[in-house]
Amino acid sequence: MKRCHSLQRKLFWVLCVALFSLGLLSSYVSYRLVRRNLTKEFDYALMAKARTLASLVRLEAGGHLEVEFAGEAMPEFEPSRHAEYFEIRDDKGTIVEKSKSFVGNKTFPASLYRSHFETFENIRLPDGRKGRLVQITPKVVEEIEDSESPTHNVSATTVSVVVARERESLDHALSIIATSLLLGAFLVSLGGIVIVLVVLRRGLHPVRHLAEKVASIQPESLDVRVTDENIPCELLPVAQRVDDLLDRLATAFERERRYTSDVAHELRTPLGEIRTALEIALQWEDDPELLKKSARDALDSAKEAETLVQTLLDLARLGKQNRAPQMTSVKLVDVVEEVLEKFSTLAAERHVEIIPNYAAREATLIANRDLLVAVIRNIVGNAIEYAPPYSRIELAIREQDGMALLSVCNDAPNLSQDDLSRMCEPFWRHDASRTDRQHVGLGLTISHALCKLMRLSLDFRLTKEKRLCVTILPALRPAENA
């Protein structure tokens, strides 16, 4: 047997992947936000130092640049393990001032001075550490004081100020934050998986309970129903369909039990008659006439039992037949006239008047002609046999909604509306005593099976005047079939 797919396992893995993905995504977004803010603060500190150094540059008379830098005020630019660096160049690229943290003749590469805008860049510091620098290009203005006039600008020049510091502390902080976020996402996802597992087990408990309840139903307990007040709304349609199935099964089992009982009852009578005839023959074996009579009675009973068994076999064969018979367009008037001709004598004997009403004389029905004749013969024969004497039978051919219909109506004073649903059941007869030996209650059952083969249906209606109308009509309306 092919292994089934577990809904719980599928939901579990989907939710696990979703939780992990959500955790990783949230960690990534958080890391990006934190990294941007920390880098912004780091760059802001670099920019502040660069602007401080730029404010120390003075343009003297004659265009000479002077930097009023005192190492004591900014000791981070002194040579040390964690030294920072700065460099100031004029507009020609000549170094005006640089920090003492540069060892020997080392300077920043000239390629850093390509831009004339404020720029930030990751570099390698002169001592080999990872670093980050900022470059600004402020304008320095020469100021001259005159005793007769206020201070005024006479010349200006542009300088490049570059400040750099190690970024290992920033990278270390970002690494700790990234690790913490990943670890947090993993722990949260792990906790979420445990919660999901518990919730799935508890959430799917009604499904397991429903399965156990269905599994506990046995053929002798088909009256049990799985729908109760505690079942969740999501499972209610399933439970209701299971209850509907149990209703159909209970009905089918009851029908089969009734069918078995009916078959036994119908066969018991001819078999009992055969036994009685044989016992009489054995008891009066010296009487030739009695022996002949007993033999004839036994033969008649055997033929009756054979007819019953053959009818049951035919009915079983019809139920298993899936192949549709050859269908043609059959003119209903011709078929009805043929059947009525055969029943004219019986109708006269029963004092029953048959009134044909051919409102649609040209009406046709797609069917197998021989099978349709058998169906109509059973229906008309039943109507004549069970109609009260001196009553009338109406046989009508008409068209309704584009369909050809054939209806047979007769008086049925003893029938009720509840009897209509059992009309096609095997061996069903309104007379429960079964005193009628000529009819075993299989005519309408066979007619129903034949109609099903031809994709026709039988409709039973009981009017207020207690008249039973049996109508042959297509199983599907033309619009539905299209």
Side-chain angles (χ1 to χ4, degrees), residues 57 92 110 133 204 309 417 427:
V57 180
K92 297 178 181 179
L133 64 78
L204 294 177
V309 171
Q417 292 291 342
F427 301 109

Side-chain angles (χ1 to χ4, degrees), residues 152-417:
H152 60 91
N153 301 330
V154 294
S155 63
T157 186
T158 301
V159 296
S160 295
V161 179
V162 177
V163 178
R165 60 168 292 190
E166 55 81 26
R167 60 164 296 150
E168 292 178 351
S169 58
L170 175 63
D171 292 340
H172 181 66
L174 291 175
S175 177
I176 293 176
I177 292 172
T179 303
S180 301
L181 289 173
L182 287 176
L183 182 60
F186 175 77
L187 293 177
V188 170
S189 300
L190 190 61
I193 290 173
V194 175
I195 294 174
V196 165
L197 187 59
V198 174
V199 170
L200 281 178
R201 286 185 178 275
R202 292 187 177 181
L204 294 177
H205 175 71
V207 178
R208 292 190 292 271
H209 177 69
L210 178 62
E212 293 171 358
K213 199 169 183 179
V214 172
S216 65
I217 298 175
Q218 300 298 324
E220 59 273 7
S221 60
L222 291 177
D223 56 334
V224 177
R225 295 296 176 263
V226 298
T227 303
D228 55 40
E229 58 184 9
N230 297 322
I231 195 166
C233 296
E234 291 78 8
L235 292 178
L236 186 58
V238 178
Q240 290 175 342
R241 298 296 84 77
V242 171
D243 286 345
D244 293 342
L245 175 61
L246 291 174
D247 289 337
R248 294 193 294 272
L249 285 175
T251 302
F253 271 65
E254 178 60 28
R255 187 184 299 115
E256 290 300 319
R257 283 192 289 267
R258 192 164 55 242
Y259 177 81
T260 303
S261 174
D262 290 339
V263 170
H265 185 93
E266 296 295 338
L267 287 176
R268 183 179 64 181
T269 300
L271 291 177
E273 292 176 348
I274 294 173
R275 178 179 177 179
T276 301
L278 294 176
E279 288 175 349
I280 292 174
L282 290 175
Q283 186 176 359
W284 305 97
E285 56 185 8
D286 296 334
D287 189 343
E289 293 299 326
L290 187 59
L291 283 176
K292 289 181 179 181
K293 183 178 183 305
S294 297
R296 283 194 297 269
D297 291 343
L299 180 60
D300 291 340
S301 297
K303 288 181 178 179
E304 181 182 341
E306 181 185 13
T307 301
L308 175 62
V309 171
Q310 185 60 47
T311 304
L312 293 175
L313 291 175
D314 293 341
L315 185 60
R317 187 176 66 252
L318 288 175
K320 293 181 180 179
Q321 186 171 344
N322 295 323
R323 197 158 136 198
Q326 185 176 2
M327 311 281 278
T328 58
S329 180
V330 181
K331 191 174 181 179
L332 289 178
V333 171
D334 296 340
V335 176
V336 170
E337 292 292 343
E338 177 183 337
V339 172
L340 291 182
E341 183 179 354
K342 294 180 180 180
F343 282 104
S344 59
T345 303
L346 179 61
E349 292 175 355
R350 297 277 303 170
H351 303 287
V352 174
E353 181 184 5
I354 299 179
I355 303 176
N357 180 11
Y358 303 145
R361 296 191 64 89
E362 303 300 323
T364 59
L365 202 61
I366 302 299
N368 180 279
R369 194 180 192 283
D370 295 336
L371 298 184
L372 184 60
V373 168
V375 171
I376 298 175
R377 186 169 59 244
N378 278 334
I379 295 174
V380 175
N382 276 349
I384 295 175
E385 289 286 348
Y386 292 105
Y390 302 101
S391 63
R392 54 187 176 82
I393 298 174
E394 295 180 1
L395 200 151
I397 299 176
R398 67 185 190 279
E399 287 187 350
Q400 180 178 331
D401 298 333
M403 297 187 301
L405 306 178
L406 172 61
S407 299
V408 179
C409 299
N410 62 278
D411 291 343
N414 298 324
L415 285 182
S416 66
Q417 292 291 342

